[in-house]
Amino acid sequence: MTTWSYIPTDGRCQRPAAQLHWNVMDRETRLKRLKFRSWHRGTREADLMIGGYFEAHSATWSDADMDWFETFLEEQDVDIMAWAMGVQPAPAQFDHPVLHAMRKMDFVPVSR
């Protein structure tokens, strides 16, 4: 049974936080969510870079890698692209093997 709580400031109902957190998702659902977020960034360039990387590498990720990528996707596209292309140094919290693999750009299709 789901319990509901009321927020006293405006009276709206809210689900308990634990039921909204990604930890309650199974691996398949979580990967589907990350796939959608990777391919719907806002610009075609970001979609190809981030979504393409996700498609090429996500099958081998551990739960810790998915945790990292989830946090990574919260950043702005211009920052992610700059870090991935090496234009700007990535902050320490994003210096991770997943970003290092993204820098190889071996997943971006190139027309000849």
Side-chain angles (χ1 to χ4, degrees):
M1 183 170 145
T2 303
T3 58
W4 297 87
S5 61
Y6 289 94
I7 300 172
T9 56
D10 60 9
R12 292 183 301 160
C13 289
Q14 173 179 302
R15 285 186 183 263
Q19 292 183 0
L20 297 175
H21 198 266
W22 57 262
N23 275 339
V24 298
M25 290 185 215
D26 61 35
R27 183 175 176 82
E28 182 181 340
T29 303
R30 196 166 171 209
L31 283 169
K32 285 178 184 179
R33 182 176 182 267
L34 288 172
K35 178 179 180 177
F36 182 86
R37 292 185 62 209
S38 296
W39 279 107
H40 295 86
R41 300 300 301 174
T43 64
R44 186 70 178 144
E45 294 83 1
D47 291 349
L48 289 171
M49 179 182 287
I50 300 166
Y53 177 78
F54 176 86
E55 291 288 336
H57 296 279
S58 62
T60 62
W61 287 350
S62 67
D63 288 342
D65 291 337
M66 286 194 298
D67 292 345
W68 181 88
F69 197 71
E70 179 98 23
T71 303
F72 187 65
L73 290 180
E74 295 298 323
E75 298 299 313
Q76 297 292 317
D77 291 348
V78 293
D79 293 330
I80 291 173
M81 293 175 71
W83 301 333
M85 292 187 290
V87 175
Q88 292 179 357
Q93 73 264 29
F94 295 120
D95 187 23
H96 189 274
V98 174
L99 180 58
H100 299 173
M102 186 182 277
R103 287 182 178 143
K104 293 179 185 175
M105 298 290 174
D106 58 354
F107 55 90
V108 177
V110 178
S111 300
R112 297 186 192 251

